[in-house]
Amino acid sequence: MALQINNFIAAHGIDARKMQCISDTRTLMTMVESRMGVAILPQSALTVPHQDIICQPLHGEFARWDIGLVWNEKIADPVRDSFISQVTAMLAPA
């Protein structure tokens, strides 16, 4: 999955210098809920609803499995918001 995500990021020109790879989806969700960023993970990892977490499905090349972008909407974070805008803009229909 890490290779698939790296390929997705590279194919879309996203700056990955400040990204980390964490294999435990529960840890990722806890980090998102506690204001530590966003995560790209399999859609299947979102089996338990999270009140403050938004999931945006990702599509396109290198997104051949159900993945989504998650973040805590109650947190103000301009860097995160810029990243989300970049990703969602790439996915908008032309």
Side-chain angles (χ1 to χ4, degrees):
M1 186 171 77
L3 178 61
Q4 191 77 1
I5 292 169
N6 286 336
N7 288 339
F8 177 85
I9 289 168
H12 292 92
I14 297 170
D15 181 3
R17 288 179 288 176
K18 295 183 179 181
M19 294 186 176
Q20 296 179 354
C21 180
I22 300 172
S23 60
D24 180 9
T25 56
R26 288 183 187 186
T27 299
L28 286 170
M29 293 304 292
T30 300
M31 291 175 72
V32 169
E33 287 180 315
S34 60
R35 306 177 180 201
M36 296 182 74
V38 301
I40 296 177
L41 47 92
Q43 192 87 22
S44 61
L46 301 175
T47 56
V48 178
H50 297 272
Q51 182 176 355
D52 298 325
I53 303 292
I54 295 174
C55 178
Q56 170 70 47
L58 302 176
H59 308 283
E61 188 176 8
F62 301 112
R64 295 184 187 131
W65 77 108
D66 292 332
I67 61 173
L69 179 65
V70 296
W71 67 93
N72 187 330
E73 68 179 347
K74 292 187 176 183
I75 301 166
D77 184 336
V79 174
R80 179 215 52 210
D81 294 342
S82 175
F83 174 78
I84 293 167
S85 293
Q86 289 176 27
V87 172
T88 55
M90 287 182 272
L91 301 174

